[in-house]
Amino acid sequence: MSSYAFDLSNHQHLAMRRILAEIYSKFWSAIRHGDFSLANRYAGMTSALLRVCLLVLNDIDLYEICSQLSDVLHEQLGYHQHRQAA
């Protein structure tokens, strides 16, 4: 598996890092409060950012980072929804 990292000298990477950190924080806040609809919206935002990284910014490293976060948020959302239903 390849390792991808933010290029802290690239302003687009810094901006995306800030956006992803905010989404991540708000996602977990929604999970803690049991608001799975809101958590789903935040997970969806990461999916939308995948397209931005690839089509607008044309940055494969950012795409991979967003993809990994998107996968984690969607998996965690599914896990917590399943856990609450049980």
Side-chain angles (χ1 to χ4, degrees):
M1 182 170 116
S2 296
S3 175
Y4 296 92
F6 289 104
D7 176 2
L8 300 180
S9 65
N10 184 329
H11 73 280
Q12 291 176 337
H13 283 231
L14 289 173
M16 186 63 72
R17 183 178 181 200
R18 190 172 30 256
I19 292 168
L20 293 177
E22 184 175 346
I23 290 171
Y24 181 82
S25 173
K26 290 181 178 183
F27 172 86
W28 283 108
S29 177
I31 291 290
R32 278 193 307 276
H33 290 97
D35 190 347
F36 297 120
S37 176
L38 184 58
N40 189 44
R41 287 184 191 160
Y42 289 120
M45 287 180 189
T46 59
S47 297
L49 287 175
L50 288 172
R51 292 178 201 80
V52 171
C53 292
L54 196 58
L55 301 175
V56 177
L57 302 176
N58 195 27
D59 191 325
I60 193 66
D61 290 336
L62 276 181
Y63 172 82
E64 290 296 331
I65 292 168
C66 287
S67 177
Q68 291 172 7
L69 182 62
S70 180
D71 291 347
V72 167
L73 295 188
H74 282 93
E75 287 294 323
Q76 286 296 316
L77 179 60
Y79 168 75
H80 286 283
Q81 286 176 324
H82 177 73
R83 187 172 167 217
Q84 173 131 0

